[in-house]
Amino acid sequence: MPVLPGAEPYRHQGGDAGVLLCHGFTGSPQSLRPWARYLAARDVTVALPLLPGHGTRWEDMQPTCWQDWYAEVDRELRALRERCSRVFVAGLSMGGALALRLAARHGEAVDGVIVVNPANKVHGLSAYALPVARHLVRTTRGIASDIAKPGAAELGYDRVPLHAAHSLRRFFRLVDGELPRVTQPLLLLRSPQDHVVPPADSARILGRVSSTDVTEILLEQSYHVATLDHDAERIFEESASFIGRLAPGAVREPEPGLGKEGATTGG
């Protein structure tokens, strides 16, 4: 099935510091592309993969599971380590959970973690019904485009395959158990008004990680997909500052003419 226009993966070969960006459940690289381009314009090497089953149609996601999604970002991280001496992992929503697991499992191979509205649990009564409901009903309504900014839209599925949602629930439980193994510097940015992931998820993550260098930033003007919302520029700037602090000299001002979103290389 062809990838939807705008959902293509993005890669940029920059300097010696690399960032792996992980998109969210039923979403695509489109939601993180402006962030990727911002960092690429500042000479950061960027990898923004398309997760299996995403970016085409929801039917393609139905047979996939968390092992498929994690394996993809794990491969990307190993590839980044081969060409960069400093590597950071970042993600939105489920992508934040993927980034946290990478940090927990790869240890010193990851230099820092950046998460935006990270998800930690499937909430509501529907979560408890998933083991049975997935055999009776194929999908439920989608969760894409929770954005406050008028005219902004996320390229994501309008339906959520329940088999995949059940796997996501299991993944969140697994990651929650591994959070104490996260020791790297952590930058967590969250929206108080998030209609997809409640504040309890970020609080749980902050309470369970073992990181001592922790920064929490509130995104007061944005909803869940904050990387496409009013606070997007702040996310980009704060992440660049975070990387620059931990990898001095790695983040450079963009060349004239590249603009705020920066580089045109990649997907």
Side-chain angles (χ1 to χ4, degrees), residues 86-107:
R86 307 296 297 274
V87 172
F88 299 82
V89 292
L92 167 69
S93 194
M94 177 190 76
L98 289 169
L100 288 163
R101 185 165 203 250
L102 288 170
R105 294 183 65 86
H106 285 270

Side-chain angles (χ1 to χ4, degrees), residues 107-175:
E108 293 181 356
V110 172
D111 293 281
V113 186
I114 306 164
V115 290
V116 179
N117 292 324
N120 178 257
K121 185 179 180 181
V122 175
H123 294 270
L125 292 175
S126 60
Y128 299 98
L130 273 175
V132 174
R134 66 194 177 104
H135 297 294
L136 305 173
V137 183
R138 296 184 72 192
T139 68
T140 187
R141 62 183 179 85
I143 56 174
S145 282
D146 184 37
I147 302 172
K149 186 177 181 180
E154 180 188 17
L155 184 58
Y157 295 150
D158 60 0
R159 305 298 298 175
V160 175
L162 291 191
H163 274 294
H166 177 64
S167 183
L168 177 67
R169 182 175 179 237
R170 294 174 60 193
F171 178 62
F172 285 157
R173 286 180 170 180
L174 176 69
V175 175

Side-chain angles (χ1 to χ4, degrees), residues 31-128:
S31 62
L32 302 184
R33 194 177 305 274
W35 189 5
R37 287 178 170 163
Y38 182 97
L39 295 173
R42 285 150 181 80
D43 201 35
V44 177
T45 293
V46 180
L48 170 53
L50 173 64
L51 300 180
H54 292 71
T56 54
R57 56 178 189 163
W58 69 259
E59 290 89 347
D60 296 328
M61 189 178 184
Q62 181 79 352
T64 65
C65 60
W66 74 260
Q67 290 93 337
D68 301 314
W69 314 324
Y70 181 76
E72 182 68 21
V73 296
D74 187 80
R75 281 192 295 269
E76 291 283 351
L77 176 62
R78 293 174 190 276
L80 268 183
R81 287 298 312 181
E82 290 181 358
R83 59 182 185 268
C84 298
S85 64
R86 307 296 297 274
V87 172
F88 299 82
V89 292
L92 167 69
S93 194
M94 177 190 76
L98 289 169
L100 288 163
R101 185 165 203 250
L102 288 170
R105 294 183 65 86
H106 285 270
E108 293 181 356
V110 172
D111 293 281
V113 186
I114 306 164
V115 290
V116 179
N117 292 324
N120 178 257
K121 185 179 180 181
V122 175
H123 294 270
L125 292 175
S126 60
Y128 299 98

Side-chain angles (χ1 to χ4, degrees), residues 13-24:
Q13 183 63 51
D16 199 39
V19 177
L20 169 59
L21 297 175
C22 309
H23 69 75

